[in-house]
Amino acid sequence: MAPQLKVIGNVGPKKATGAVATGKYYPADDIKTPLKSRKAKKNAPKVRSSITPGTVLILLAGRFRGKRVVALKVLESGLVLVSGPYKVNGVPLRRVSPAYVIATSTKVDVSSVDVSSFTDAYFARAKSSEEEEFFAGDAPKPAIVSDERKADQKKVDAALLKAVESVPMLKAYLGAKFSLRNNDKPHKMIF
Amino acid sequence: MVFKRYVEVGRVVLVNYGPDAGKLATIIDIVDQNKCLIDGPSTGVARQVIPYGRIALTDLTVKISRNARQKSLTAAWTEADVLAKWESSSWAKKLAAKKKRASLNDFDRFKVMVARKQKSSIIAKKMKEIAA
């Protein structure tokens, strides 16, 4: 016997096909809906709309504070991949937090720069055992830059430098540091 | 102290404050000691009563009769060439320079800094020549 009576003529409100019927008639078995997953969902990193590949950024904190730098890519962790270029201002391929950065409205065309191979895993620190580090003492360890990093820097900067040199005065701009002078009102300055 | 700019029918004024700030208008009629009626059809200022504290008198005047219609006002403005005369005044040029400076971005400010250094080095070189 059909679950619903055949109705001849127009009787009552039209029912949506496929939906659980309201009123007297409903399916005999419960329709199973999956339980809500408690796993944390990973979404695409959300970064200020002013930070796009090619934007010139002013670093506000850290070792390179005050330097003007080119943003290359937003990494999965939400950090921004940045390069000086190294020849211009000494900033290597580096990750930078968007919270400690001023995004200027100056953009460089970085479509010819290939940064697809760089991810957060590339920048992960090499694991050294706790004991070694504990016994080593507090003397600052000399920074050892791997040949892989140097090679990647050269590759990226070759394309990036071409794009930077095509804009007049941009190279000198990136080489200069940013600072506040007398009479500057940062809340009124347009970057 | 003699006054040179008078509040009179036909005086071109610059609105200082309010939604029409920065625009030119003319005094059409005087209401009382504190406010007047202005209109600026060529500059987008609606006909309105405005207190004197919100306007600044300019050197320019136009020949109109009291409560002139917008059509005759526009005609008088084109005849007197108010907009061109205003733009060539140093007052207007200073306002424009201030506006431009406020709109510069960081890269533009850098270029300005380099240009000023180049200018001063040319002047310094010339001064050295003259002094020698």
Side-chain angles (χ1 to χ4, degrees):
Chain A
M1 188 172 137
Q4 278 174 317
L5 290 179
K6 263 215 182 119
V7 175
I8 307 163
N10 299 342
V11 176
K14 289 229 156 95
K15 294 200 184 110
T17 45
V20 176
T22 51
K24 289 201 280 180
Y25 298 99
Y26 54 89
D29 295 318
D30 290 334
I31 301 171
K32 281 212 185 277
T33 55
L35 295 168
K36 273 209 149 174
S37 156
R38 295 210 173 182
K39 260 203 204 146
K41 246 203 320 187
K42 261 218 165 159
N43 294 319
K46 238 193 276 187
V47 122
R48 271 177 285 164
S49 58
S50 50
I51 300 176
T52 63
T55 314
V56 173
L57 307 174
I58 300 174
L59 302 180
L60 296 173
R63 182 176 166 188
F64 300 104
R65 55 186 155 270
K67 301 254 185 194
R68 294 175 174 121
V69 121
V70 181
L72 294 172
K73 177 184 179 186
V74 175
L75 298 168
E76 212 194 50
S77 62
L79 301 172
V80 180
L81 176 65
V82 124
S83 177
Y86 184 69
K87 277 218 171 110
V88 174
N89 52 23
V91 180
L93 278 166
R94 196 174 205 263
R95 292 185 299 174
V96 125
S97 167
Y100 295 93
V101 132
I102 293 180
T104 66
S105 49
T106 314
K107 309 249 186 253
V108 185
D109 181 14
V110 292
S111 49
S112 59
V113 183
D114 176 27
V115 277
S116 49
S117 60
F118 301 111
T119 60
D120 287 299
Y122 178 86
F123 294 98
R125 262 199 262 233
K127 291 226 181 237
S128 60
S129 81
E130 238 186 69
E131 283 189 25
E132 273 179 34
E133 279 194 19
F134 184 71
F135 287 125
D138 290 330
K141 284 180 265 195
I144 318 155
V145 184
S146 70
D147 289 327
E148 186 204 0
R149 286 272 185 120
K150 290 191 192 159
D152 285 331
Q153 185 75 51
K154 266 205 175 143
K155 200 171 69 127
V156 168
D157 277 1
L160 187 54
L161 218 50
K162 252 212 276 166
V164 162
E165 282 168 351
S166 66
V167 180
M169 294 186 100
L170 186 62
K171 196 168 174 199
Y173 174 59
L174 292 176
K177 262 198 184 186
F178 171 82
S179 79
L180 290 175
R181 314 286 163 81
N182 275 349
N183 302 323
D184 277 350
K185 299 181 185 88
H187 67 293
K188 281 191 155 177
M189 288 160 77
I190 297 177
F191 286 97
Chain B
M1 199 176 70
V2 186
F3 291 100
K4 291 200 209 111
R5 299 176 187 157
Y6 293 97
V7 170
E8 54 189 330
V9 173
R11 172 67 57 182
V12 174
V13 297
L14 177 70
V15 180
N16 288 333
Y17 181 89
D20 293 319
K23 297 191 191 152
L24 290 180
T26 0
I27 296 180
I28 306 285
D29 198 357
I30 299 173
V31 175
D32 65 8
Q33 198 201 339
N34 295 318
K35 43 196 191 278
C36 62
L37 183 66
I38 61 162
D39 194 6
S42 334
T43 52
V45 178
R47 183 171 279 227
Q48 60 194 278
V49 171
I50 198 169
Y52 298 124
R54 293 193 177 194
I55 57 175
L57 306 179
T58 67
D59 284 331
L60 307 166
T61 51
V62 270
K63 259 194 101 196
I64 50 163
S65 48
R66 188 176 70 89
N67 276 325
R69 285 166 66 220
Q70 290 203 337
K71 204 166 113 187
S72 26
L73 225 199
T74 327
W77 265 50
T78 47
E79 219 223 287
D81 206 10
V82 172
L83 286 170
K85 286 216 190 97
W86 168 248
E87 292 302 328
S88 62
S89 74
S90 57
W91 184 352
K93 287 191 202 143
K94 277 190 269 175
L95 285 181
K98 237 187 172 182
K99 212 173 169 197
K100 187 90 217 304
R101 268 196 211 117
S103 73
L104 294 175
N105 75 13
D106 194 46
F107 191 21
D108 293 333
R109 267 176 262 133
F110 175 79
K111 290 189 231 172
V112 165
M113 183 260 289
V114 171
R116 293 181 80 221
K117 285 174 91 173
Q118 288 172 338
K119 173 181 161 194
S120 79
S121 91
I122 294 170
I123 293 172
K125 253 191 239 155
K126 239 332 163 95
M127 290 300 281
K128 222 173 167 192
E129 257 179 59
I130 295 171

